[in-house]
Amino acid sequence: SEQRRLRKCLQAGLVFGEELDPDLELVHTFISQARKRKGFPMTLNLSAFRDLFANLPDVYRVFTVKQGETLAALTVTVRINRQI
């Protein structure tokens, strides 16, 4: 079933990738809106979010799924160590 889902995503033109120079305001807004839709507050303001990336650039990474130029999904990952 996972292969079938992947095939459907590829046929729909969805593309996964890492954002090497992410627009942090866009990322923060995307996450904030998703949390709001689910009834969760955004606990990290934009300034603090930017500080995380500025102070620890090798720790925080942004990955996205796009359909053309439209952002469909994103995630921010935290690197704990070389294995995690």
Side-chain angles (χ1 to χ4, degrees):
S1 68
E2 290 162 359
Q3 288 291 328
R4 189 171 47 247
R5 269 188 239 128
L6 177 59
R7 207 170 22 256
K8 264 180 96 170
C9 289
L10 293 173
Q11 288 171 348
L14 296 174
V15 178
F16 171 81
E18 180 178 4
E19 298 296 317
L20 298 176
D21 186 24
D23 177 344
L24 294 179
E25 186 173 352
L26 175 71
V27 171
H28 185 271
T29 299
F30 190 91
I31 294 169
S32 180
Q33 289 173 348
R35 292 181 63 82
K36 184 182 272 188
R37 278 193 307 272
K38 294 183 179 213
F40 298 120
M42 187 64 175
T43 57
L44 193 63
N45 66 37
L46 178 58
S47 177
F49 188 69
R50 283 186 173 140
D51 287 346
L52 290 174
F53 281 83
N55 294 332
L56 300 165
D58 295 332
V59 173
Y60 293 93
R61 296 165 70 184
V62 177
F63 295 90
T64 60
V65 175
K66 293 180 178 180
Q67 187 172 33
E69 291 299 313
T70 304
L71 184 59
L74 70 78
T75 189
V76 175
T77 63
V78 181
R79 183 174 181 175
I80 304 301
N81 60 40
R82 287 183 181 216
Q83 290 78 32
I84 302 173

Coordinates of all heavy atoms in Angstrom, one line a residue:
S1 N 0.8 -1.2 0.0 CA 0.0 0.0 0.0 C 0.9 1.3 0.0 O 0.5 2.3 -0.6 CB -1.0 0.0 1.2 OG -0.3 0.1 2.4
E2 N 2.0 1.2 0.6 CA 2.9 2.4 0.6 C 3.5 2.6 -0.7 O 3.6 3.8 -1.1 CB 4.1 2.1 1.6 CG 3.5 2.2 3.1 CD 4.5 1.6 4.1 OE1 5.6 1.1 3.7 OE2 4.2 1.6 5.2
Q3 N 3.8 1.6 -1.5 CA 4.3 1.8 -2.9 C 3.2 2.4 -3.7 O 3.4 3.3 -4.6 CB 4.7 0.4 -3.5 CG 6.0 -0.1 -2.9 CD 7.2 0.7 -3.3 OE1 7.2 1.3 -4.4 NE2 8.1 0.8 -2.4
R4 N 1.9 2.0 -3.5 CA 0.8 2.5 -4.2 C 0.6 4.0 -3.9 O 0.4 4.8 -4.8 CB -0.5 1.8 -3.9 CG -1.7 2.1 -4.8 CD -2.8 1.1 -4.5 NE -3.2 0.9 -3.2 CZ -3.0 -0.3 -2.5 NH1 -2.6 -1.3 -3.1 NH2 -3.4 -0.4 -1.3
R5 N 0.7 4.4 -2.6 CA 0.6 5.8 -2.2 C 1.8 6.6 -2.9 O 1.5 7.7 -3.3 CB 0.7 5.9 -0.7 CG -0.7 5.9 -0.1 CD -0.6 6.2 1.4 NE -1.2 5.0 2.0 CZ -0.6 4.4 3.0 NH1 0.5 4.8 3.5 NH2 -1.2 3.3 3.5
L6 N 3.0 6.1 -2.8 CA 4.1 6.8 -3.4 C 3.9 7.0 -4.9 O 4.1 8.1 -5.4 CB 5.4 6.0 -3.2 CG 6.6 6.6 -3.8 CD1 6.9 8.0 -3.3 CD2 7.8 5.7 -3.6
R7 N 3.4 6.0 -5.6 CA 3.1 6.1 -7.0 C 2.1 7.2 -7.3 O 2.2 8.0 -8.2 CB 2.7 4.7 -7.6 CG 3.0 4.5 -9.0 CD 2.7 3.1 -9.5 NE 1.9 2.2 -8.8 CZ 2.3 1.2 -7.9 NH1 3.5 1.0 -7.8 NH2 1.4 0.5 -7.3
K8 N 1.0 7.2 -6.5 CA 0.0 8.2 -6.6 C 0.6 9.6 -6.4 O 0.2 10.6 -7.2 CB -1.1 8.0 -5.6 CG -2.3 7.2 -6.1 CD -3.3 7.1 -5.0 CE -4.4 8.1 -5.1 NZ -5.5 7.8 -4.2
C9 N 1.4 9.8 -5.5 CA 2.0 11.1 -5.2 C 2.9 11.5 -6.4 O 2.8 12.7 -6.8 CB 2.9 11.0 -3.9 SG 1.9 10.9 -2.4
L10 N 3.7 10.6 -6.9 CA 4.5 10.9 -8.0 C 3.7 11.3 -9.3 O 4.0 12.2 -10.0 CB 5.5 9.8 -8.3 CG 6.5 9.5 -7.3 CD1 7.3 8.2 -7.6 CD2 7.5 10.7 -7.1
Q11 N 2.6 10.6 -9.5 CA 1.7 10.8 -10.6 C 1.1 12.2 -10.5 O 0.8 12.9 -11.5 CB 0.7 9.7 -10.8 CG 1.3 8.4 -11.3 CD 0.3 7.3 -11.3 OE1 -0.8 7.4 -10.7 NE2 0.6 6.2 -11.9
A12 N 0.8 12.6 -9.2 CA 0.2 13.9 -9.0 C 1.2 15.1 -9.1 O 0.8 16.2 -8.9 CB -0.5 13.9 -7.6
G13 N 2.4 14.7 -9.3 CA 3.5 15.8 -9.4 C 4.0 16.2 -8.1 O 4.7 17.3 -8.1
L14 N 3.8 15.5 -7.0 CA 4.4 15.9 -5.7 C 5.9 15.6 -5.7 O 6.3 14.5 -6.1 CB 3.7 15.2 -4.6 CG 2.2 15.5 -4.4 CD1 1.6 14.6 -3.4 CD2 2.0 17.0 -4.1
V15 N 6.7 16.5 -5.2 CA 8.1 16.4 -5.2 C 8.6 16.7 -3.7 O 8.3 17.7 -3.2 CB 8.8 17.4 -6.1 CG1 10.3 17.3 -6.1 CG2 8.3 17.1 -7.6
F16 N 9.4 15.8 -3.2 CA 10.0 15.9 -1.9 C 11.4 16.5 -2.0 O 12.1 16.1 -2.9 CB 10.1 14.5 -1.2 CG 10.9 14.5 0.1 CD1 10.3 14.9 1.2 CD2 12.2 14.1 0.1 CE1 11.0 14.9 2.4 CE2 12.9 14.1 1.3 CZ 12.3 14.5 2.4
G17 N 11.8 17.4 -1.1 CA 13.1 17.9 -1.2 C 13.5 18.6 0.1 O 12.6 19.0 0.9
E18 N 14.8 18.9 0.3 CA 15.3 19.6 1.4 C 15.4 21.1 1.0 O 15.9 21.4 -0.1 CB 16.7 19.1 1.8 CG 17.2 19.9 3.0 CD 18.5 19.4 3.5 OE1 19.1 18.4 2.9 OE2 19.0 19.9 4.5
E19 N 15.0 22.0 1.8 CA 15.1 23.4 1.6 C 16.5 23.9 2.2 O 16.6 23.9 3.4 CB 14.0 24.2 2.2 CG 12.6 23.8 1.6 CD 12.5 24.2 0.1 OE1 12.9 25.3 -0.3 OE2 11.9 23.4 -0.6
L20 N 17.5 24.1 1.3 CA 18.8 24.5 1.8 C 18.8 25.9 2.3 O 19.6 26.2 3.2 CB 19.8 24.2 0.7 CG 19.9 22.8 0.3 CD1 20.9 22.7 -0.9 CD2 20.3 21.9 1.4
D21 N 18.0 26.8 1.8 CA 17.9 28.2 2.3 C 16.4 28.5 2.5 O 15.8 29.2 1.7 CB 18.6 29.1 1.3 CG 18.6 30.5 1.8 OD1 18.6 30.8 3.0 OD2 18.7 31.4 0.9
P22 N 15.8 27.9 3.5 CA 14.4 28.0 3.7 C 13.9 29.5 4.0 O 14.7 30.2 4.7 CB 14.0 27.1 4.8 CG 15.3 27.0 5.6 CD 16.4 27.1 4.6
D23 N 12.8 29.8 3.5 CA 12.1 31.1 3.9 C 11.5 30.8 5.3 O 10.4 30.2 5.4 CB 11.1 31.4 2.9 CG 10.3 32.7 3.2 OD1 10.3 33.1 4.4 OD2 9.6 33.2 2.3
L24 N 12.1 31.2 6.3 CA 11.7 30.9 7.7 C 10.4 31.5 8.1 O 9.6 30.9 8.8 CB 12.8 31.2 8.7 CG 14.1 30.4 8.6 CD1 15.1 30.9 9.6 CD2 13.8 28.9 8.7
E25 N 10.1 32.6 7.5 CA 8.7 33.2 7.8 C 7.6 32.4 7.2 O 6.6 32.1 7.8 CB 8.7 34.7 7.2 CG 7.4 35.4 7.6 CD 7.4 36.8 7.2 OE1 8.4 37.4 6.8 OE2 6.3 37.4 7.3
L26 N 7.9 31.9 5.9 CA 6.9 31.0 5.3 C 6.8 29.7 6.1 O 5.6 29.2 6.3 CB 7.3 30.7 3.9 CG 6.5 29.7 3.1 CD1 5.1 30.3 2.8 CD2 7.2 29.3 1.8
V27 N 7.9 29.1 6.5 CA 7.9 27.9 7.3 C 7.1 28.1 8.6 O 6.2 27.3 8.9 CB 9.3 27.4 7.5 CG1 9.3 26.2 8.5 CG2 10.0 27.0 6.3
H28 N 7.4 29.1 9.3 CA 6.7 29.4 10.6 C 5.2 29.6 10.3 O 4.4 29.1 11.1 CB 7.3 30.7 11.2 CG 6.8 30.9 12.6 ND1 5.7 31.7 12.8 CD2 7.2 30.5 13.8 CE1 5.5 31.8 14.1 NE2 6.4 31.1 14.7
T29 N 4.8 30.4 9.3 CA 3.4 30.6 9.0 C 2.7 29.3 8.7 O 1.6 29.1 9.1 CB 3.3 31.6 7.8 OG1 3.9 32.9 8.3 CG2 1.9 31.9 7.5
F30 N 3.3 28.5 7.8 CA 2.7 27.2 7.4 C 2.5 26.3 8.7 O 1.4 25.8 8.8 CB 3.7 26.5 6.5 CG 3.1 25.3 5.8 CD1 2.4 25.4 4.6 CD2 3.2 24.0 6.4 CE1 1.9 24.3 4.0 CE2 2.6 22.9 5.8 CZ 1.9 23.0 4.6
I31 N 3.5 26.2 9.6 CA 3.3 25.4 10.8 C 2.2 26.0 11.7 O 1.4 25.3 12.2 CB 4.6 25.3 11.5 CG1 5.6 24.5 10.7 CG2 4.5 24.7 12.9 CD1 7.1 24.5 11.2
S32 N 2.3 27.4 11.8 CA 1.3 28.1 12.7 C -0.1 27.8 12.2 O -1.0 27.6 13.0 CB 1.6 29.5 12.7 OG 0.7 30.2 13.5
Q33 N -0.3 27.9 10.9 CA -1.7 27.7 10.4 C -2.2 26.3 10.6 O -3.3 26.0 10.9 CB -1.7 28.1 8.9 CG -1.6 29.6 8.7 CD -1.5 30.0 7.2 OE1 -1.3 29.2 6.3 NE2 -1.6 31.3 6.9
A34 N -1.2 25.4 10.4 CA -1.6 23.9 10.6 C -2.0 23.7 12.0 O -2.9 23.0 12.3 CB -0.4 23.0 10.1
R35 N -1.2 24.2 12.9 CA -1.5 24.0 14.4 C -2.8 24.7 14.7 O -3.6 24.1 15.5 CB -0.4 24.6 15.2 CG 0.9 23.7 15.1 CD 2.0 24.3 16.0 NE 1.7 24.2 17.4 CZ 1.8 23.1 18.1 NH1 2.3 22.0 17.6 NH2 1.5 23.2 19.4
K36 N -3.1 25.9 14.2 CA -4.3 26.6 14.5 C -5.5 25.8 14.0 O -6.5 25.7 14.7 CB -4.3 28.0 13.8 CG -5.5 28.8 14.1 CD -5.5 30.1 13.4 CE -4.7 31.1 14.3 NZ -4.8 32.5 13.7
R37 N -5.4 25.2 12.8 CA -6.5 24.3 12.2 C -6.8 23.2 13.1 O -8.0 22.7 13.2 CB -6.2 23.8 10.8 CG -6.4 24.8 9.7 CD -6.3 24.1 8.3 NE -5.1 23.3 8.1 CZ -4.0 23.8 7.6 NH1 -3.9 25.1 7.3 NH2 -2.9 23.0 7.5
K38 N -5.8 22.7 13.8 CA -6.0 21.5 14.7 C -6.3 22.0 16.2 O -6.5 21.1 17.1 CB -4.8 20.6 14.7 CG -4.6 20.0 13.4 CD -3.4 19.0 13.4 CE -3.3 18.4 12.0 NZ -2.8 17.1 12.1
G39 N -6.4 23.3 16.4 CA -6.7 23.8 17.7 C -5.5 23.8 18.7 O -5.7 23.9 19.9
F40 N -4.3 23.8 18.2 CA -3.1 23.9 19.0 C -2.5 25.3 18.9 O -2.4 25.8 17.8 CB -2.1 22.9 18.6 CG -2.5 21.4 18.7 CD1 -2.6 20.6 17.6 CD2 -2.9 20.9 19.9 CE1 -3.0 19.3 17.7 CE2 -3.3 19.6 20.0 CZ -3.4 18.8 18.9
P41 N -2.0 25.8 20.0 CA -1.3 27.1 19.9 C 0.1 27.0 19.3 O 0.7 25.9 19.3 CB -1.3 27.6 21.3 CG -1.2 26.3 22.1 CD -2.0 25.3 21.3
M42 N 0.6 28.1 18.7 CA 1.9 28.2 18.3 C 2.8 28.7 19.4 O 2.5 29.8 19.9 CB 2.0 29.1 17.0 CG 3.4 29.1 16.4 SD 3.8 27.5 15.7 CE 5.3 27.8 14.9
T43 N 3.6 27.9 19.9 CA 4.4 28.2 21.2 C 5.7 28.9 20.9 O 6.3 29.3 21.9 CB 4.6 26.9 22.0 OG1 5.3 26.0 21.2 CG2 3.3 26.3 22.5
L44 N 6.1 29.0 19.7 CA 7.4 29.6 19.3 C 7.2 30.7 18.3 O 6.7 30.5 17.2 CB 8.3 28.5 18.7 CG 9.8 28.8 18.5 CD1 10.4 29.0 19.9 CD2 10.4 27.6 17.8
N45 N 7.5 32.0 18.8 CA 7.3 33.1 17.9 C 8.3 33.1 16.7 O 9.3 32.4 16.8 CB 7.2 34.4 18.6 CG 8.6 34.8 19.2 OD1 9.6 34.6 18.7 ND2 8.5 35.4 20.4
L46 N 8.1 33.9 15.7 CA 9.0 33.9 14.5 C 10.4 34.3 14.9 O 11.3 33.7 14.4 CB 8.4 34.9 13.5 CG 9.2 35.1 12.2 CD1 9.4 33.7 11.5 CD2 8.6 36.1 11.3
S47 N 10.6 35.2 15.8 CA 11.9 35.7 16.2 C 12.7 34.5 16.8 O 13.9 34.3 16.5 CB 11.8 36.8 17.1 OG 13.1 37.2 17.6
A48 N 12.1 33.8 17.7 CA 12.7 32.7 18.4 C 13.0 31.5 17.4 O 14.0 30.9 17.5 CB 11.9 32.2 19.5
F49 N 12.1 31.4 16.5 CA 12.2 30.3 15.4 C 13.5 30.6 14.5 O 14.3 29.8 14.3 CB 11.0 30.3 14.6 CG 10.9 29.2 13.6 CD1 10.7 27.9 14.0 CD2 10.9 29.4 12.2 CE1 10.6 26.8 13.1 CE2 10.8 28.4 11.3 CZ 10.7 27.1 11.7
R50 N 13.6 31.9 14.1 CA 14.7 32.3 13.4 C 16.0 32.1 14.1 O 17.1 31.7 13.6 CB 14.6 33.8 12.9 CG 13.7 34.0 11.8 CD 13.7 35.4 11.3 NE 12.9 35.6 10.1 CZ 12.1 36.6 9.9 NH1 12.0 37.6 10.8 NH2 11.4 36.7 8.8
D51 N 16.0 32.5 15.4 CA 17.2 32.3 16.3 C 17.7 30.9 16.3 O 18.9 30.6 16.3 CB 16.9 32.8 17.7 CG 16.8 34.3 17.8 OD1 17.2 35.0 16.8 OD2 16.3 34.8 18.8
L52 N 16.8 29.9 16.3 CA 17.2 28.5 16.4 C 18.0 28.2 15.1 O 19.0 27.5 15.2 CB 15.9 27.6 16.4 CG 15.1 27.6 17.7 CD1 13.8 26.7 17.5 CD2 15.9 27.0 18.8
F53 N 17.5 28.6 14.0 CA 18.2 28.3 12.7 C 19.6 29.1 12.7 O 20.5 28.6 12.1 CB 17.4 28.6 11.5 CG 16.4 27.6 11.2 CD1 15.2 27.5 11.9 CD2 16.6 26.6 10.3 CE1 14.2 26.6 11.6 CE2 15.7 25.6 10.0 CZ 14.5 25.6 10.7
A54 N 19.6 30.3 13.2 CA 20.8 31.1 13.1 C 21.9 30.6 14.1 O 23.0 30.6 13.7 CB 20.5 32.6 13.5
N55 N 21.4 30.2 15.3 CA 22.4 29.7 16.3 C 22.8 28.3 16.1 O 23.9 27.9 16.5 CB 21.8 29.9 17.7 CG 21.6 31.3 18.0 OD1 22.3 32.2 17.6 ND2 20.5 31.6 18.9
L56 N 22.0 27.5 15.5 CA 22.3 26.0 15.3 C 22.0 25.6 13.8 O 21.2 24.8 13.6 CB 21.5 25.2 16.3 CG 21.8 25.5 17.7 CD1 20.7 24.9 18.6 CD2 23.2 25.0 18.2
P57 N 22.7 26.2 12.8 CA 22.4 25.9 11.4 C 22.6 24.5 11.0 O 21.9 24.0 10.1 CB 23.3 26.8 10.7 CG 24.5 27.1 11.6 CD 23.9 27.1 13.0
D58 N 23.4 23.7 11.7 CA 23.6 22.3 11.3 C 22.7 21.4 12.0 O 22.7 20.2 11.7 CB 25.1 21.9 11.6 CG 26.1 22.7 10.8 OD1 25.7 23.1 9.6 OD2 27.2 22.8 11.2
V59 N 21.9 21.9 12.9 CA 21.0 21.1 13.7 C 19.6 21.0 13.1 O 18.9 20.0 13.0 CB 20.9 21.5 15.2 CG1 19.9 20.8 16.0 CG2 22.3 21.4 15.8
Y60 N 19.1 22.2 12.7 CA 17.7 22.3 12.1 C 17.7 22.3 10.6 O 18.5 23.0 10.0 CB 17.1 23.6 12.6 CG 16.8 23.6 14.1 CD1 17.8 24.1 15.0 CD2 15.7 23.0 14.7 CE1 17.6 24.0 16.4 CE2 15.5 22.9 16.0 CZ 16.5 23.5 16.9 OH 16.3 23.4 18.2
R61 N 16.8 21.4 10.1 CA 16.7 21.3 8.6 C 15.2 21.3 8.2 O 14.4 20.9 9.0 CB 17.3 20.0 8.1 CG 18.8 20.1 8.4 CD 19.5 18.7 8.3 NE 19.5 18.3 6.9 CZ 20.0 17.1 6.5 NH1 20.4 16.2 7.4 NH2 20.0 16.8 5.2
V62 N 14.9 21.8 7.1 CA 13.5 21.9 6.6 C 13.4 21.0 5.3 O 14.2 21.2 4.4 CB 13.1 23.4 6.3 CG1 11.7 23.4 5.7 CG2 13.2 24.2 7.5
F63 N 12.4 20.2 5.3 CA 12.0 19.3 4.2 C 10.6 19.6 3.8 O 9.8 19.9 4.6 CB 12.2 17.8 4.5 CG 13.6 17.4 4.9 CD1 14.1 17.5 6.2 CD2 14.4 17.0 3.9 CE1 15.4 17.2 6.5 CE2 15.7 16.6 4.2 CZ 16.2 16.7 5.5
T64 N 10.4 19.7 2.5 CA 9.1 20.0 1.9 C 8.6 19.0 0.9 O 9.3 18.2 0.3 CB 9.1 21.4 1.2 OG1 10.0 21.3 0.2 CG2 9.5 22.5 2.2
V65 N 7.3 19.1 0.7 CA 6.6 18.4 -0.4 C 5.9 19.5 -1.2 O 5.1 20.2 -0.6 CB 5.6 17.3 0.1 CG1 4.9 16.7 -1.1 CG2 6.4 16.2 0.9
K66 N 6.2 19.6 -2.5 CA 5.6 20.6 -3.3 C 4.9 20.0 -4.5 O 5.3 19.0 -5.0 CB 6.6 21.6 -3.7 CG 7.2 22.4 -2.6 CD 8.2 23.4 -3.2 CE 8.8 24.3 -2.1 NZ 9.8 25.2 -2.7
Q67 N 3.9 20.7 -5.0 CA 3.3 20.3 -6.2 C 3.5 21.6 -7.1 O 2.8 22.6 -6.9 CB 1.8 20.0 -6.1 CG 1.2 19.5 -7.4 CD -0.2 19.0 -7.1 OE1 -1.0 19.5 -6.3 NE2 -0.6 18.0 -7.9
G68 N 4.5 21.5 -8.0 CA 4.9 22.7 -8.7 C 5.5 23.7 -7.7 O 6.4 23.4 -6.9
E69 N 4.9 24.9 -7.6 CA 5.4 25.9 -6.6 C 4.6 25.9 -5.4 O 4.9 26.7 -4.4 CB 5.5 27.3 -7.3 CG 6.5 27.4 -8.4 CD 7.9 27.2 -7.8 OE1 8.3 27.8 -6.8 OE2 8.7 26.5 -8.5
T70 N 3.5 25.1 -5.3 CA 2.6 25.1 -4.2 C 3.1 24.2 -3.1 O 3.4 23.0 -3.3 CB 1.2 24.6 -4.6 OG1 0.8 25.5 -5.7 CG2 0.2 24.7 -3.5
L71 N 3.3 24.7 -1.9 CA 3.7 23.9 -0.8 C 2.6 23.1 -0.2 O 1.5 23.6 0.1 CB 4.2 24.9 0.3 CG 4.8 24.3 1.6 CD1 6.0 23.5 1.2 CD2 5.2 25.4 2.5
A72 N 2.8 21.7 -0.2 CA 1.8 20.8 0.2 C 2.0 20.4 1.7 O 1.1 20.2 2.4 CB 1.7 19.6 -0.7
A73 N 3.3 20.2 2.0 CA 3.6 19.8 3.4 C 5.0 20.2 3.7 O 5.8 20.4 2.8 CB 3.5 18.3 3.5
L74 N 5.3 20.3 5.0 CA 6.7 20.5 5.4 C 7.0 19.9 6.7 O 6.0 19.7 7.5 CB 7.1 22.0 5.3 CG 6.5 23.0 6.3 CD1 7.2 22.9 7.6 CD2 6.7 24.4 5.7
T75 N 8.2 19.7 7.0 CA 8.6 19.3 8.4 C 10.0 20.0 8.7 O 10.8 20.2 7.8 CB 8.7 17.8 8.5 OG1 8.9 17.5 9.9 CG2 9.9 17.2 7.7
V76 N 10.2 20.3 10.0 CA 11.4 20.8 10.5 C 12.0 19.6 11.3 O 11.3 19.1 12.2 CB 11.2 22.0 11.3 CG1 12.6 22.5 12.0 CG2 10.6 23.2 10.5
T77 N 13.2 19.2 11.0 CA 13.9 18.2 11.7 C 15.0 18.7 12.6 O 15.5 19.8 12.4 CB 14.5 17.1 10.8 OG1 15.5 17.7 10.0 CG2 13.4 16.5 9.9
V78 N 15.3 18.0 13.7 CA 16.3 18.3 14.6 C 17.3 17.2 14.6 O 16.9 16.1 15.0 CB 15.7 18.6 16.0 CG1 16.8 19.0 17.0 CG2 14.6 19.6 16.0
R79 N 18.5 17.5 14.3 CA 19.6 16.5 14.4 C 20.1 16.4 15.8 O 20.7 17.4 16.3 CB 20.7 16.9 13.4 CG 21.8 15.8 13.3 CD 22.8 16.1 12.2 NE 23.8 15.1 12.2 CZ 24.7 15.0 11.3 NH1 24.8 15.9 10.4 NH2 25.6 14.0 11.4
I80 N 20.0 15.3 16.4 CA 20.5 15.1 17.8 C 22.0 14.8 17.8 O 22.7 15.3 18.6 CB 19.7 14.0 18.5 CG1 18.2 14.2 18.4 CG2 20.1 13.7 19.9 CD1 17.7 15.5 19.0
N81 N 22.4 13.8 17.0 CA 23.8 13.4 16.8 C 23.9 12.8 15.4 O 23.0 12.9 14.6 CB 24.2 12.5 17.9 CG 23.4 11.2 18.0 OD1 23.1 10.6 17.0 ND2 23.1 10.7 19.2
R82 N 25.1 12.2 15.1 CA 25.3 11.7 13.8 C 24.4 10.6 13.4 O 24.1 10.3 12.3 CB 26.8 11.3 13.6 CG 27.7 12.4 13.6 CD 29.1 12.0 13.4 NE 30.0 13.1 13.3 CZ 31.0 13.2 12.6 NH1 31.4 12.3 11.8 NH2 31.8 14.3 12.6
Q83 N 23.9 9.8 14.4 CA 23.0 8.7 14.1 C 21.6 9.1 14.1 O 20.7 8.4 13.5 CB 23.3 7.6 15.1 CG 24.6 6.8 15.0 CD 25.8 7.6 15.6 OE1 25.6 8.4 16.5 NE2 26.9 7.5 15.0
I84 N 21.2 10.1 14.8 CA 19.8 10.5 15.0 C 19.6 11.9 14.4 O 20.2 12.9 14.7 CB 19.4 10.5 16.4 CG1 19.7 9.2 17.1 CG2 18.0 10.9 16.6 CD1 19.5 9.1 18.6

